[in-house]
Every structure is written in structure tokens, then in C-alpha cells.
Amino acid sequence: MLFNVVYGMLSLITWSAFAFKLRDLARDRHNKELQRLCLAIATFAAPFGFAAPAVYTRVDALVGTPNITSLIIYTTVDICLTSFVALLVSWSSAQSKVRLHHRLILGYAIASVTTNWVLFFLGDGTDTSHPLDFDVHYAKSAYIWEFLLVHQTLFTVSMIGLIHLCWRYSKIIDEPWLRRGLRIVTVGAVAGLGYSLPKAMSLICGNLGISPLAFVNSVVAPMFASVSAALFAVGFTMPAWGVGLDRATARISDYRTFHRRYPLWLAITRAFPEVVLVAPPASRRELVGDLRFFLGRQVIEILDGEMRLRSHLDTDISRMTREIAAKQNITGDEAVAVAEAAQIAAALQARSTGHDVSDGHGTDLDDAANGDLDKESARLTQVAVAFSTSTVIPAVLKRLQSATTDA
């Protein structure tokens, strides 16, 4: 029951990864690297479906040959590993050597698979189905021992190749998600050695008359293979879904930024409605549909409002704000943002009361962005958060109002 559940889940994970990459292949059908990747994932997903004991025995019964499913599983794994290694060779090798390396890899894989088919049918491994202990049960059978050793050798060589290629390529690649994916595949290949090495050792020990390590062979090793498969599915698809995750995260961040700046935008546009050239989004759906545009307009309209407020700015307000902020242990960039927010809030208050500051051109509003909209966006977000949440702003406005009343 346990292996039915584990293999079923892994089959679902890896087939989901295959479907994910198949969508990319449908958009670029002639991309050989995508073809190899889809083939590799499909042939890595298939064995877990076949390996579930319930499926294993039914396939044997359908074909009419006990343990034919083991041959199918090992063949698909060999094809899978060949595809993975060929893909990594394409990524990490000099173009002049890729074709030669591909031919060597393909030749070794074809020789191994052909040899295994011959050995399987020469051997006596078809008495009854053994979905969980095929390796242990037939470890000493003529030809089946060689069959198993040929497969484990290819598996081990492929894992070592993947460890070497993935780790080396991950050090020189610039794309962060591809780099992370390759490192996950490297870990998956290390886990893969936890499958093949114990099985190979068990085969050799068993042939020498020592215990074949049945538990390790039939329980521990398949679990390592399961971990390896899951990591491969994640690692090889990560460059695609990782970029999508970045986009989704960026959109969520942009959405939050719009709403953080909204109170400042609203206060400025109420004072200067003429700066609004495009009506704000009427609904959340409209905002999400053209988020970057509305974010850009928001920045421009706030900056236009700031320009109109310059005649109401007073540099003494900044000094007063910093003094109050210091008493509340507000320092650094936060203090700068609070000072700017206080300047704007005081200027809006002064304009609403008709109080013009005669030396208003001496403003200390931050102009470090120098016209860079991305920098302006980051600055205005900090200012807007301070404008709507800082307790310093009401304190400054209260002090200014008291000074005006006393005067």
C-alpha cells in the first residue's frame, strides 16, 4: 500500500512537470533542448506509474509475461537519464564538441538498452511477478544479474555526469532560477546515487555469496530514487515556473505599492485635480488589468503635485520634523521619508488655509532620483507610507497650527 501511494504521488508530480514543459514545447516545437527535456521528464514519470505494485502486476498480466514491467521501467529510466545528460551537455559544452558527446552518450545508451533486452529474455526471470523485490529475487539468476548490473552501471554513470555538469554549469550561468534549478538537480543526482550504488553493491555482494542487503535493495534504494525523481522534476522545470513566480510576486508587490501610495496621491490630487490626466481605476479588475500604467501615472501625478506645492514649502519644517523623529528613535532613510512627508502635509495644510511661505523656493525635498522613475517610485512609496502612518506628521501639523494661532 505504501509504495502504491508514494509512487502514485511521484508519478503525479512528474507528469505535472511534463505537462508544464509540454506547454512550452507546443509554443516552440522545433526546440531540441525542450524536446529532450520533455522526453526526459516523461520517461522519468512513467516508471513511477508502472512501479506501483497494483499497476505492475496488471501490466504483466496484460502482456502475458511476468516482470516485463521491470524491463519497461529500466528501459524508460535509461532513456530518461540519457536525455538529461544530453541536455546538460548541450548547455555546458562547447558547440564544437556537443555533437560528438551526444553520439557517445546515445551509443552507450543504445548498447546498454539493447544488451538488457537480450539479457532479460535469455534469463529466467518470468516465473511470477515481483513488483517490489525483482532485484533481490533474481539477483543470482543467470543473465538477470548481468541485466541488473548493466542498468545500475548506466544509472551510476549518468548520476555522476549530472552532478559534474549541473554543478559546473550552475557556477557560470547568470539566470538565477536556472542556477537554482541546476543545483536542485545536482542534489537529486546525489540522491540518485543513493539508489544505484546500494543496488550495485548488493548485486556484487550477493554474487559473492554475501547477504544481498535485501532491505536496502528493495526499500531504501527505491526511496532514494523517489527523492531523486521529485528533485529532478522540480529542478528541471524551475527555470520556467520560477520566472512566472517572479512575475506573480512582482505584480503583488506593485499592487501593494499602488495602495500604499494611494493616500498621498489622493491628498495631492484633491488639492490639484488638474494633475490627473487619466481617471484612476474604477475597480480592482481595471487596476490589475493595467497595473504598470496606473503605477506610472500615480508617480507622475504625485510629482506634478509636489511641484505645485513648492511655494508652500518651509525648510524649517524639515528641521522640526527631524527633531520630533529623533525623539521617537526614527533615523536613517525612515527619518528622511518622514521629513518629506511632513513637508508635503504642512504644504497642503498651508495651501488650504491660504498661507504662503515667502521663501518657499528653499525646499529640501529629496531630488536624488534625478528623473529616474524607478527611484522616484521607491522614494514616493516610502514618503507615502510615512504620510499615512507616521505619528510624527500629526505632531508636526499640531505644532504648526499652534504657532499659527499664537501668531
Side-chain angles (χ1 to χ4, degrees):
M1 180 62 183
L2 174 62
F3 281 97
N4 282 326
V5 173
V6 172
Y7 288 157
M9 290 178 63
L10 284 167
S11 181
L12 179 62
I13 291 171
T14 47
W15 278 119
S16 297
F18 171 75
F20 188 84
K21 295 308 298 179
L22 192 63
R23 182 190 61 180
D24 294 337
L25 182 61
R27 297 171 183 167
D28 189 6
R29 297 180 181 179
H30 302 291
N31 187 319
K32 291 185 178 180
E33 292 185 1
L34 273 176
Q35 291 172 359
R36 293 189 191 104
L37 182 55
C38 286
L39 177 63
I41 296 174
T43 49
F44 215 99
F48 291 102
F50 286 119
V55 177
Y56 186 105
T57 53
R58 289 184 182 181
V59 172
D60 283 357
L62 182 65
V63 176
T65 303
N67 299 310
I68 190 67
T69 310
S70 286
L71 179 60
I72 295 171
I73 290 171
Y74 288 136
T75 300
T76 54
V77 170
D78 290 345
I79 295 171
C80 160
L81 296 178
T82 301
S83 301
F84 276 144
V85 174
L87 179 65
L88 264 296
V89 165
S90 297
W91 287 352
S92 59
S93 298
Q95 288 300 310
S96 59
K97 297 181 179 180
V98 168
R99 182 171 294 182
L100 174 61
H101 290 167
H102 280 172
R103 287 177 178 175
L104 291 173
I105 293 166
L106 183 61
Y108 176 46
I110 290 174
S112 296
V113 170
T114 302
T115 300
N116 269 356
W117 275 76
V118 172
L119 290 171
F120 180 85
F121 286 106
L122 285 176
D124 184 20
T126 58
D127 54 348
T128 185
S129 293
H130 289 274
L132 297 179
D133 63 345
F134 176 84
D135 293 11
V136 175
H137 187 79
Y138 296 106
K140 297 182 180 180
S141 299
Y143 299 109
I144 301 299
W145 181 87
E146 291 84 354
F147 164 86
L148 294 171
L149 190 60
V150 167
H151 170 73
Q152 297 305 336
T153 300
L154 184 146
F155 196 104
T156 301
V157 169
S158 297
M159 291 301 108
I160 293 172
L162 286 174
I163 292 170
H164 171 69
L165 292 170
C166 288
W167 189 252
R168 185 180 70 180
Y169 191 49
S170 70
K171 292 181 179 180
I172 62 174
I173 197 68
D174 292 329
E175 292 84 347
W177 284 107
L178 178 55
R179 182 168 58 250
R180 293 168 192 151
L182 288 172
R183 289 177 178 173
I184 288 176
V185 172
T186 302
V187 177
V190 172
L193 290 177
Y195 163 80
S196 61
L197 290 179
K199 280 187 171 287
M201 290 174 60
S202 178
L203 281 169
I204 295 170
C205 290
N207 202 49
L208 294 174
I210 309 171
S211 170
L213 306 175
F215 177 77
V216 173
N217 204 343
S218 59
V219 178
V220 177
M223 285 301 177
F224 271 102
S226 301
V227 172
S228 177
L231 291 173
F232 278 9
V234 172
F236 275 112
T237 58
M238 183 175 279
W241 59 258
V243 173
L245 182 62
D246 278 346
R247 292 196 189 106
T249 302
R251 286 186 68 81
I252 292 171
S253 177
D254 287 345
Y255 183 82
R256 294 180 63 190
T257 296
F258 181 89
H259 286 288
R260 284 176 175 175
R261 290 201 299 246
Y262 186 79
L264 177 61
W265 174 87
L266 184 62
I268 287 177
T269 55
R270 280 178 175 172
F272 305 104
E274 66 273 14
V275 303
V276 182
L277 299 181
V278 178
S283 65
R284 183 179 302 175
R285 183 175 181 178
E286 184 181 354
L287 170 62
V288 172
D290 207 353
L291 186 54
R292 297 301 299 175
F293 171 77
F294 287 117
L295 279 170
R297 284 307 312 168
Q298 195 180 54
V299 170
I300 292 169
E301 289 162 9
I302 292 174
L303 291 174
D304 286 348
E306 281 187 343
M307 291 295 294
R308 286 166 169 77
L309 283 173
R310 288 187 182 276
S311 63
H312 300 282
L313 297 177
D314 186 345
T315 53
D316 290 337
I317 294 172
S318 181
R319 288 191 288 271
M320 181 196 308
T321 304
R322 289 176 185 274
E323 290 175 5
I324 298 173
K327 292 178 181 178
Q328 298 185 19
N329 296 320
I330 298 173
T331 58
D333 291 342
E334 185 180 358
V336 173
V338 169
E340 291 186 36
Q343 281 272 45
I344 294 171
L348 289 171
Q349 180 174 274
R351 183 181 185 280
S352 67
T353 59
H355 174 68
D356 284 345
V357 179
S358 59
D359 63 344
H361 295 291
T363 175
D364 66 344
L365 283 180
D366 187 2
D367 196 29
N370 195 28
D372 187 321
L373 281 183
D374 288 335
K375 291 182 179 179
E376 292 285 15
S377 175
R379 176 184 73 82
L380 289 178
T381 301
Q382 289 181 305
V383 173
V385 170
F387 182 85
S388 59
T389 64
S390 177
T391 57
V392 174
I393 310 301
V396 171
L397 295 179
K398 185 177 180 180
R399 185 178 295 187
L400 290 173
Q401 190 173 18
S402 298
T404 303
T405 302
D406 292 343

